[in-house]
Amino acid sequence: MPQVLGALVRRHGQFEGCEDAVQEAGLAASVQWPADGVPDNPRGWLMTVASRRLIDHVRSEHARRERETVAEPAPDVPDTDDTLVLLFLCCHPALTAASQTALTLRAVGGLTTAEIARAFLVPEATMAARISRAKQRIRAAGSAFRLPDGVAFEERLRVVLHVLYLIFNEGYTASSGSSLHRVELAWEAIRLARLVRAQLPQDGEVAGLLALMLLTHARRAARTTPGGDLVPLDEQDRSVWDRELIEEGLALARESLGAPVLGPYQLQAAIAATHADAATAGETDWRQVYALYLILERIAPNPMVTLNRAIALAEVAGPGEGLALLAGLDADERVRGHHRLASVRAHLLEKAGEPAAAYENYRRAAKATASLAERRYLESRAARLRP
């Protein structure tokens, strides 16, 4: 769908109207294809229907004069992929960084408003309003449908990387639904990261982000049982990790650390590489992991980074130290009710020999997550500790 949207915007402009038309075409496909069969050229079919829907929404006299031209049958959709151009268009400088990210997740990543709201840790209504305002500003500001160059490219790049990071995270661990993974999103984020790297092969953060994605995605086959239940990192069968992705990721991680400026994606890639280097969970160099999280927290403070640092600290200095670090997050509204804070606390309480408190936190975490796979895992952990 992002490729159809990109092609439609390239041909007609009107970003907001094109997105609405593509969504309507997708709805039409969901109704017609099961009954009539999938057409030989699905993307061309969507492009044709979306073009017609766009015309149906045209109201101005100028658009009516152009109706005859625009209404001609849509030509074959070109083989060129406009997704990257669409990605940078969504990161238009007229938008705030948060709006750029939200709009791109919606238009390019295909995430729902609820999923984006969870990624940003804000209410769904707030995110819906943000996306709506972003569409309006894109329409008002106007922008040629092409990649920016020079300084403009660099300025938009950091937002683009953050968008891809969020899309990948949603694909790797879906925030809702019965499946832990949304594999198509993870692969799409990797594909787009490769496209960005082709534009900036010397950028350390681009290489770091791609390395992080590859090293993380390499574990996918080991993260769930055949029944779909979650398997934590320390219990995974590392023999089924994708060695090809790991080797590529390790090479990129090493390359990224040679850049003159160190950024958060390079550090996260280094952490993922440390886990990938360990043949078993017991061989993990937790001191190195903790040191990397400490640096990451200094250059890119974030409650989720602190949460992960607490896990590493518990491995290095004991669960009591990790729990003390977690206590500082209780006043942070961004994570106070988040299931990950409760689940990490439960894990450390269990390691500290406090099963009753661990049980309550596992239950609290299970109730807070919208992911059925995570909920089943957390409930199973609680069941083992039930008083």
Side-chain angles (χ1 to χ4, degrees), residues 26-190:
L27 179 61
S30 69
V31 173
Q32 294 183 36
W33 291 2
D36 302 337
V38 178
D40 293 336
N41 182 2
R43 193 165 64 164
W45 188 96
L46 289 167
M47 182 69 179
T48 299
V49 173
S51 294
R52 290 172 179 166
R53 291 292 193 275
L54 181 62
I55 294 165
D56 289 340
H57 292 303
V58 172
R59 293 293 183 265
S60 69
E61 185 64 29
H62 173 71
R64 282 197 297 270
R65 286 196 303 268
E66 293 186 346
R67 180 183 294 272
E68 185 174 323
T69 301
V70 179
E72 293 175 359
D76 292 338
V77 179
D79 291 334
T80 56
D81 187 349
D82 291 320
T83 307
L84 185 61
V85 184
L86 180 62
L87 181 63
F88 275 79
L89 177 64
C90 290
C91 297
H92 194 283
L95 305 180
T96 64
S99 294
Q100 290 169 332
T101 304
L103 181 60
T104 306
L105 284 170
R106 186 73 185 90
V108 183
L111 275 66
T112 67
T113 303
E115 289 167 340
I116 302 169
R118 280 191 287 273
F120 275 92
L121 307 177
V122 300
E124 183 176 351
T126 300
M127 184 54 62
R130 183 179 298 171
I131 292 173
S132 178
R133 288 194 299 269
K135 292 178 183 177
Q136 293 169 8
R137 287 174 182 163
I138 284 282
R139 181 175 58 187
S143 180
F145 193 75
R146 63 173 183 270
L147 283 174
D149 52 21
V151 175
F153 189 97
E154 294 286 347
E155 289 175 347
R156 295 198 204 181
L157 176 64
R158 302 310 157 194
V159 177
V160 167
L161 296 185
H162 184 58
V163 168
L164 297 183
Y165 178 72
L166 289 177
I167 293 174
F168 177 81
N169 283 347
E170 181 63 29
Y172 187 69
T173 303
S175 59
S176 63
S178 59
S179 176
L180 181 67
H181 309 110
R182 295 180 64 181
V183 179
E184 75 287 354
L185 278 182
W187 278 120
E188 179 67 3
I190 290 171

Side-chain angles (χ1 to χ4, degrees), residues 361-378:
N361 277 275
Y362 277 131
R363 281 172 51 85
R364 186 176 300 118
K367 291 178 181 178
T369 181
S371 167
L372 297 182
E374 287 187 321
R375 184 179 303 163
R376 288 195 303 269
Y377 168 76
L378 293 165

Side-chain angles (χ1 to χ4, degrees), residues 172 180 216 218-224 230-241 279-281:
Y172 187 69
L180 181 67
T216 306
R219 308 176 199 149
R220 182 178 62 84
R223 293 183 69 227
T224 56
L230 187 149
V231 180
L233 179 61
D234 61 348
E235 298 176 16
Q236 289 176 15
D237 178 1
R238 301 187 176 209
S239 68
V240 300
W241 284 4
T280 66

Side-chain angles (χ1 to χ4, degrees), residues 273-343:
T274 303
H275 287 294
D277 275 334
T280 66
E283 296 176 49
T284 304
D285 188 346
W286 282 107
R287 292 188 181 278
Q288 178 169 308
V289 172
Y290 177 76
L292 289 167
Y293 272 123
L294 196 61
I295 299 170
L296 178 59
E297 192 176 39
R298 288 173 181 168
I299 69 171
N302 181 288
M304 289 299 177
V305 175
T306 305
L307 199 66
N308 286 308
R309 182 164 73 87
I311 297 172
L313 179 59
E315 295 290 339
V316 172
E321 294 296 321
L323 287 166
L325 182 56
L326 286 184
L329 294 176
D330 288 334
D332 193 322
E333 294 184 355
R334 293 171 293 176
V335 293
R336 186 165 51 196
H338 200 281
H339 74 277
R340 283 216 60 208
L341 178 57
S343 66

